[in-house]
Amino acid sequence: RWDELELLVCGQPRVDLELLKRMTVYSDCCESDRHIQFFWQALESFSEEQRSGYIKFVWGRARLPLDKESWEQPHKVAIFHPPRPAFGKPQPSIDSLLPYAHTCYFTIDIPKYTSAEVMRKRLLYAIENCPEIDGDQTTTGRRAAAMGFDISDSDDEDNSEAALELSADTEEGDSLPSPPPALISSAGIPPAPPLPALPQTSPALR
C-alpha cells in the first residue's frame, strides 16, 4: 500500500516528542537544567507544523525516522556560547540571542534563556526565518559564487545558522524585525552589489 511505503521511506508525518527526547544527548548541559526544561516546554506547545519546522531547522528534514532502530545519529542539545563582542562593543544579553543549528550533526546550541516565554519566542523566530539550509540556493550564495568565492561542504554544517543578535528592548507582542539576509547566510558573506556589465569588445581587437 502507498501509505505504508510512504511511512517506511519518509518516516512519521507527526513529530513524536517522546521519541525525540529518548534520542537526545546533551553537551555542557543536562535535561534537568532550567533552560533545557524551557526548551522542551516550547516544543510541547508548538503545533505539528511548528515541530516539523524545528526538525527542518536543526536537521534539514521535516520528519523523524520511523523508530529508534532507524536513527543514524542522536539529536544533540548543547549550550550556546556567545562569541566575543567586537572591540568597544558591549556583550549582548543572553535573551537577545537566537539558537544556532548544525544540520549535518542534528545539533542545536541553545542560549541559557531566562524564561520559557523567551525560549519559545526565539525558537519560533529562528524556525520561521531560517528555513533554507543550502547556501548555494540563497541570493547571497549565488552572488558569492558569481564573485568566485568557494562555498565548500565544510560550510554546510552551519547552514541553519541563527545566531543573530536581537534588540533586548523588543516588547511583548511586538513583531520581530526580518533578519538581514547577510546575517543568515551560510556563506557568512554580505550581499555583493550587482556585477557590472562587461564592455563590448571592439571589432578591431577580435
Side-chain angles (χ1 to χ4, degrees):
R1 294 170 51 185
W2 68 266
D3 54 340
E4 293 177 349
L5 177 62
E6 179 189 22
L7 189 62
L8 289 172
V9 173
C10 302
Q12 294 281 0
R14 58 177 295 273
V15 176
D16 186 341
L17 283 185
E18 291 304 317
L19 176 61
L20 184 62
K21 284 183 179 181
R22 291 198 300 271
M23 299 304 296
T24 296
V25 296
Y26 301 92
S27 177
D28 294 333
C29 58
C30 62
E31 189 174 359
S32 61
D33 288 350
R34 187 164 172 257
H35 73 289
I36 299 301
Q37 294 179 6
F38 292 157
F39 167 72
W40 289 114
Q41 289 171 17
L43 289 185
E44 289 168 0
S45 71
F46 285 177
S47 65
E48 283 297 331
E49 182 179 0
Q50 290 168 335
R51 291 178 185 178
S52 293
Y54 168 76
I55 299 301
K56 185 176 181 181
F57 169 72
V58 76
W59 202 22
R61 312 176 189 182
R63 297 187 180 190
L64 294 177
L66 180 60
D67 49 40
K68 184 177 179 180
E69 289 70 28
S70 303
W71 287 59
E72 298 177 356
Q73 61 186 145
H75 169 239
K76 185 177 180 180
V77 176
I79 286 286
F80 176 79
H81 298 286
R84 289 184 177 180
F87 180 76
K89 298 289 185 179
Q91 182 73 35
S93 70
I94 288 296
D95 285 349
S96 71
L97 301 175
L98 286 173
Y100 190 107
H102 309 265
T103 54
C104 286
Y105 304 105
F106 201 1
T107 298
I108 184 168
D109 299 344
I110 304 177
K112 297 180 71 173
Y113 296 126
T114 59
S115 72
E117 179 184 4
V118 173
M119 174 70 74
R120 189 178 192 279
K121 183 182 294 185
R122 297 297 182 253
L123 273 178
L124 280 178
Y125 183 80
I127 291 168
E128 294 170 355
N129 289 279
C130 298
E132 181 61 71
I133 68 166
D134 187 352
D136 293 335
Q137 299 304 316
T138 63
T139 300
T140 304
R142 290 195 295 271
R143 286 176 174 172
M147 295 181 67
F149 289 101
D150 178 25
I151 303 177
S152 63
D153 291 340
S154 62
D155 294 318
D156 292 342
E157 67 186 58
D158 295 333
N159 278 342
S160 288
E161 175 178 346
L164 308 180
E165 296 181 13
L166 297 177
S167 170
D169 298 328
T170 303
E171 298 293 338
E172 180 180 358
D174 288 351
S175 59
L176 292 171
S178 299
L183 295 180
I184 63 172
S185 166
S186 63
I189 309 169
L195 294 175
L198 294 175
Q200 294 292 333
T201 304
S202 171
L205 299 179
R206 290 179 179 172

